[in-house]
Amino acid sequence: MKETTRILIPQDKVEERIQQLADEISRDYEGKVVHLVGILKGSVFFVCELAKRLTIPVTMDFMSVSSYGSGTKSSGIVKLIKDLDEPLEGREVIVVEDIIDSGRTLSYLLKNLSNRRPASIRLCTLLDKPDRRECEVDVDYQGFQIPDEFVIGYGLDYDQRYRNLPYIGVLALSEE
Ligand code: IMP
Ligand code: MG
């Protein structure tokens, strides 16, 4: 299989949008400490770029779940691989994701995290593929809505590669 990539959202547009989201969050959480929960590994690049631009106090924690195998299709099973290091009780939590596709991962996660009694919990995603939704999720902060294409870069992988691309690309696989 030959893999080719095409730029869907260039780096400057991604970073411009992250700045806008950071401004919005800084305004919304003025006077509070926001606790960013990054979902490994896809959201790492996004959560760091977002955190750097927030003007309010920030704490961060990470967890890892898996809903995909090594390909481009969901297995439909969400597995908790690494839990958070710290409790969420009383915290102003923002869950930061790379992309919402079927919504299965997030609907599982938001239920799980809400049970830990945070003061509040919101969701921030860099990308959203609304056409693919199977489970409803309320998105509070969203970078871009994208069409139903498999994307890579800015943290998103195909078989663990391409996370380091500084833009959002579309992956095309062709026989060769
Ligand atoms: P969901 O549970 O179907 O919403 O899947 C969400 C997770 O699947 C994301 O956190 C990604 O890790 C992965 N994913 C979904 N769509 C893509 C894509 O287009 N490229 C890379 N990873 C994706
Ligand atoms: Mg992910």
Short mmCIF file of all heavy atoms in Angstrom, two decimals, residues 67-68 74 97-106 129 149-152 156-157, ligand 1:
data_model
loop_
_atom_site.label_atom_id
_atom_site.label_comp_id
_atom_site.label_asym_id
_atom_site.label_seq_id
_atom_site.Cartn_x
_atom_site.Cartn_y
_atom_site.Cartn_z
N SER A 67 -10.02 2.98 21.55
CA SER A 67 -11.25 2.52 20.92
C SER A 67 -10.98 2.02 19.52
O SER A 67 -11.87 1.57 18.83
CB SER A 67 -12.29 3.64 20.89
OG SER A 67 -11.79 4.72 20.15
N TYR A 68 -9.73 2.11 19.11
CA TYR A 68 -9.37 1.71 17.75
C TYR A 68 -8.29 0.65 17.78
O TYR A 68 -7.49 0.61 18.70
CB TYR A 68 -8.84 2.91 16.96
CG TYR A 68 -9.94 3.73 16.33
CD1 TYR A 68 -10.83 4.42 17.12
CD2 TYR A 68 -10.08 3.77 14.96
CE1 TYR A 68 -11.85 5.17 16.56
CE2 TYR A 68 -11.08 4.50 14.38
CZ TYR A 68 -11.96 5.20 15.17
OH TYR A 68 -12.97 5.92 14.62
N SER A 74 -13.19 1.90 13.93
CA SER A 74 -13.42 1.73 15.36
C SER A 74 -13.73 0.27 15.68
O SER A 74 -14.44 -0.39 14.96
CB SER A 74 -14.60 2.60 15.79
OG SER A 74 -14.93 2.31 17.11
N GLU A 97 -9.65 16.62 23.63
CA GLU A 97 -9.53 15.50 22.69
C GLU A 97 -9.01 15.98 21.34
O GLU A 97 -9.12 17.16 21.00
CB GLU A 97 -10.92 14.86 22.47
CG GLU A 97 -11.07 13.47 23.06
CD GLU A 97 -10.20 12.40 22.41
OE1 GLU A 97 -9.09 12.67 21.95
OE2 GLU A 97 -10.66 11.25 22.38
N ASP A 98 -8.46 15.05 20.59
CA ASP A 98 -8.00 15.39 19.25
C ASP A 98 -9.17 15.44 18.27
O ASP A 98 -9.30 16.37 17.48
CB ASP A 98 -6.94 14.38 18.76
CG ASP A 98 -7.35 12.91 18.94
OD1 ASP A 98 -8.47 12.64 19.45
OD2 ASP A 98 -6.56 12.03 18.56
N ILE A 99 -10.04 14.42 18.35
CA ILE A 99 -11.11 14.32 17.36
C ILE A 99 -12.30 13.54 17.93
O ILE A 99 -12.09 12.61 18.71
CB ILE A 99 -10.58 13.65 16.07
CG1 ILE A 99 -11.59 13.71 14.93
CG2 ILE A 99 -10.14 12.21 16.32
CD1 ILE A 99 -10.99 13.39 13.56
N ILE A 100 -13.50 13.95 17.57
CA ILE A 100 -14.69 13.16 17.90
C ILE A 100 -15.23 12.59 16.61
O ILE A 100 -15.53 13.32 15.67
CB ILE A 100 -15.77 14.00 18.60
CG1 ILE A 100 -15.17 14.74 19.79
CG2 ILE A 100 -16.91 13.10 19.08
CD1 ILE A 100 -16.14 15.64 20.49
N ASP A 101 -15.33 11.28 16.60
CA ASP A 101 -15.73 10.57 15.40
C ASP A 101 -17.11 9.95 15.69
O ASP A 101 -18.12 10.63 15.59
CB ASP A 101 -14.63 9.52 15.13
CG ASP A 101 -14.76 8.82 13.80
OD1 ASP A 101 -15.28 9.42 12.86
OD2 ASP A 101 -14.33 7.66 13.70
N SER A 102 -17.17 8.71 16.11
CA SER A 102 -18.47 8.11 16.47
C SER A 102 -19.00 8.72 17.77
O SER A 102 -20.21 8.70 18.01
CB SER A 102 -18.33 6.60 16.64
OG SER A 102 -17.60 6.30 17.80
N GLY A 103 -18.10 9.23 18.61
CA GLY A 103 -18.50 9.77 19.91
C GLY A 103 -18.48 8.73 21.01
O GLY A 103 -18.74 9.03 22.17
N ARG A 104 -18.15 7.49 20.66
CA ARG A 104 -18.15 6.41 21.66
C ARG A 104 -17.14 6.66 22.78
O ARG A 104 -17.46 6.49 23.95
CB ARG A 104 -17.78 5.08 21.00
CG ARG A 104 -18.92 4.43 20.28
CD ARG A 104 -18.65 2.94 20.17
NE ARG A 104 -19.52 2.35 19.18
CZ ARG A 104 -19.12 2.05 17.96
NH1 ARG A 104 -17.89 2.27 17.57
NH2 ARG A 104 -19.97 1.53 17.11
N THR A 105 -15.93 7.03 22.40
CA THR A 105 -14.88 7.23 23.40
C THR A 105 -15.29 8.31 24.39
O THR A 105 -15.21 8.13 25.60
CB THR A 105 -13.56 7.68 22.70
OG1 THR A 105 -13.30 6.80 21.61
CG2 THR A 105 -12.39 7.67 23.66
N LEU A 106 -15.76 9.43 23.85
CA LEU A 106 -16.12 10.56 24.71
C LEU A 106 -17.34 10.30 25.57
O LEU A 106 -17.38 10.72 26.71
CB LEU A 106 -16.35 11.81 23.86
CG LEU A 106 -15.19 12.78 23.80
CD1 LEU A 106 -14.74 13.19 25.20
CD2 LEU A 106 -14.00 12.19 23.09
N LYS A 129 -16.03 15.26 13.53
CA LYS A 129 -16.61 14.68 12.30
C LYS A 129 -18.08 14.40 12.59
O LYS A 129 -18.43 13.26 12.91
CB LYS A 129 -15.93 13.36 11.97
CG LYS A 129 -14.57 13.43 11.33
CD LYS A 129 -14.22 12.02 10.85
CE LYS A 129 -12.75 11.76 10.87
NZ LYS A 129 -12.42 10.34 10.65
N GLU A 149 -13.39 12.01 6.53
CA GLU A 149 -12.16 11.51 5.92
C GLU A 149 -11.20 11.16 7.04
O GLU A 149 -11.28 11.75 8.11
CB GLU A 149 -11.52 12.60 5.05
CG GLU A 149 -12.28 12.87 3.77
CD GLU A 149 -11.59 13.89 2.89
OE1 GLU A 149 -11.59 15.08 3.27
OE2 GLU A 149 -11.07 13.51 1.83
N PHE A 150 -10.31 10.21 6.80
CA PHE A 150 -9.36 9.83 7.85
C PHE A 150 -8.21 10.82 7.86
O PHE A 150 -7.49 10.98 6.88
CB PHE A 150 -8.85 8.41 7.64
CG PHE A 150 -8.16 7.89 8.86
CD1 PHE A 150 -8.89 7.38 9.92
CD2 PHE A 150 -6.77 7.94 8.97
CE1 PHE A 150 -8.25 6.93 11.08
CE2 PHE A 150 -6.13 7.49 10.11
CZ PHE A 150 -6.87 6.99 11.17
N VAL A 151 -8.06 11.52 8.99
CA VAL A 151 -7.04 12.57 9.07
C VAL A 151 -5.88 12.18 9.97
O VAL A 151 -6.02 11.35 10.86
CB VAL A 151 -7.66 13.91 9.54
CG1 VAL A 151 -8.52 14.53 8.46
CG2 VAL A 151 -8.44 13.74 10.84
N ILE A 152 -4.76 12.82 9.71
CA ILE A 152 -3.53 12.55 10.46
C ILE A 152 -2.84 13.88 10.76
O ILE A 152 -3.16 14.90 10.16
CB ILE A 152 -2.56 11.66 9.64
CG1 ILE A 152 -2.46 12.24 8.21
CG2 ILE A 152 -3.02 10.22 9.61
CD1 ILE A 152 -1.34 11.66 7.41
N LEU A 156 -2.70 13.25 15.57
CA LEU A 156 -3.49 12.13 15.05
C LEU A 156 -2.61 11.17 14.26
O LEU A 156 -1.78 11.61 13.46
CB LEU A 156 -4.61 12.65 14.16
CG LEU A 156 -5.69 13.41 14.93
CD1 LEU A 156 -6.13 14.63 14.15
CD2 LEU A 156 -6.86 12.50 15.23
N ASP A 157 -2.86 9.88 14.47
CA ASP A 157 -1.98 8.89 13.85
C ASP A 157 -2.70 7.97 12.88
O ASP A 157 -3.92 7.83 12.93
CB ASP A 157 -1.36 8.00 14.93
CG ASP A 157 -2.38 7.01 15.51
OD1 ASP A 157 -3.42 7.46 16.01
OD2 ASP A 157 -2.15 5.79 15.42
P1 IMP B 1 -14.71 7.82 18.50
O1 IMP B 1 -14.84 7.03 19.76
O2 IMP B 1 -15.22 7.06 17.30
O3 IMP B 1 -15.30 9.20 18.58
O4 IMP B 1 -13.18 7.91 18.19
C1 IMP B 1 -12.37 8.84 18.74
C2 IMP B 1 -10.91 8.44 18.62
O5 IMP B 1 -10.66 7.71 17.40
C3 IMP B 1 -10.06 9.67 18.54
O6 IMP B 1 -9.68 10.08 19.81
C4 IMP B 1 -8.93 9.22 17.66
O7 IMP B 1 -7.91 8.66 18.47
C5 IMP B 1 -9.48 8.16 16.77
N1 IMP B 1 -9.86 8.71 15.43
C6 IMP B 1 -11.09 8.96 14.96
N2 IMP B 1 -11.07 9.48 13.72
C7 IMP B 1 -9.76 9.55 13.39
C8 IMP B 1 -9.06 10.03 12.21
O8 IMP B 1 -9.63 10.51 11.22
N3 IMP B 1 -7.70 9.95 12.27
C9 IMP B 1 -7.01 9.45 13.33
N4 IMP B 1 -7.62 9.02 14.45
C10 IMP B 1 -8.99 9.05 14.47
#
